Amino acid sequence: MTTPPPGLRERKKRATREALREAALRLAVERGPDRVRVEDIAEAAGVSPRTYNNYFASREQAIVSAVTADRDARIAAAVAARPADVRLADAVTDAVVERFTHAGEHEQRALLLITTNAALRDAFLDATAGIEPPLAAVLAERLAVRLGERLGGDAEAPTARVLAASVAAAVRIALEGWLRPAGDTEAGEGPTAGGLVVPAGSPADRLRAALAPLAPAFDAAERG
């Protein structure tokens, strides 16, 4: 499947989103997340608050997007790029782990903020839902090719949607465990109860453990 290059309008939208993302992270690092207003981010990016609201619903979303930007599309692209003879469960797991554990400078700065702010942690965890749509489309296409069905990469294919939703849920569970507040050892307590958290264990190990129970479902889907 070949994706056509983005047009001028789409490139402008991407540039605006990037400017807002960069401004949000920079201001949050300089002032602290709680001292940044939507109006401040919009002004720093050279757009109006109304334009800002077309891209992000809150300042937390904008700040967190420094970590999550293009993550969902890249996970899907990584799965699509794997050879057809690679087990689908392995392709998905490797793509998720790779994207969540290899962070650049911007991502590292944003993650540091996330571990110190409950609202940012909530936004970070909520963003895992974005994995589902692009991954569902790729899974539907992969299954159609593998099984010789005429799904045509339809993202509405029920099996693909269920699998993709399960991946998103597993990722959220893994990250909730990783971002457990310091001193929170009670399984029933939420991951956003307080301020500073000390990430617990390896995120790669947690992600692989959370995704492992989905492997039989992926195998069954491939067998048809």
Side-chain angles (χ1 to χ4, degrees), residues 67-68 71-72 75 94-103 111 124 127-128 131 171-172 175 178 203-204 207:
V67 176
T68 62
R71 179 189 63 191
D72 309 324
I75 289 173
D94 290 344
V96 169
V97 172
E98 170 73 18
R99 191 66 192 103
F100 273 89
T101 57
H102 288 72
L111 280 171
F124 181 67
T128 58
I131 294 172
V171 170
R172 181 178 181 119
L175 295 178
W178 184 58
L207 287 165

Side-chain angles (χ1 to χ4, degrees), residues 2 6 44 54-55 60 94 99 104 106-107 110 121 124 144 147 167 203 213 224:
T2 301
N54 291 333
Y55 292 86
E60 286 80 17
D94 290 344
R99 191 66 192 103
H106 282 359
E107 289 90 342
R121 293 196 296 275
F124 181 67
L147 302 177
V167 169

Side-chain angles (χ1 to χ4, degrees), residues 1 3 70-100 102 131 134-139 141-142 146 167 208 218:
M1 180 173 62
T3 302
D70 303 323
R71 179 189 63 191
D72 309 324
R74 291 182 182 182
I75 289 173
V79 174
R82 295 300 295 273
D85 59 350
V86 172
R87 184 186 181 208
L88 193 52
D90 294 337
V92 171
T93 299
D94 290 344
V96 169
V97 172
E98 170 73 18
R99 191 66 192 103
F100 273 89
H102 288 72
I131 294 172
L135 181 59
V138 168
L139 293 179
E141 184 172 352
R142 283 284 298 252
R146 180 69 64 90
V167 169
R208 291 189 182 279
F218 275 103

Side-chain angles (χ1 to χ4, degrees), residues 101-195:
T101 57
H102 288 72
E105 181 182 352
H106 282 359
E107 289 90 342
Q108 292 288 0
R109 292 166 67 195
L111 280 171
L112 180 60
L113 289 175
I114 289 168
T115 61
T116 65
N117 185 282
L120 290 179
R121 293 196 296 275
D122 285 339
F124 181 67
L125 293 172
D126 288 344
T128 58
I131 294 172
E132 181 183 345
L135 181 59
V138 168
L139 293 179
E141 184 172 352
R142 283 284 298 252
L143 292 175
V145 172
R146 180 69 64 90
L147 302 177
E149 298 170 353
R150 297 184 58 82
L151 294 179
D154 184 1
E156 297 300 316
T159 298
R161 292 188 63 191
V162 169
L163 289 172
S166 299
V167 169
V171 170
R172 181 178 181 119
I173 289 169
L175 295 178
E176 284 178 346
W178 184 58
L179 290 175
R180 189 183 305 278
D184 175 14
T185 57
E186 296 297 326
E189 294 185 12
T192 59

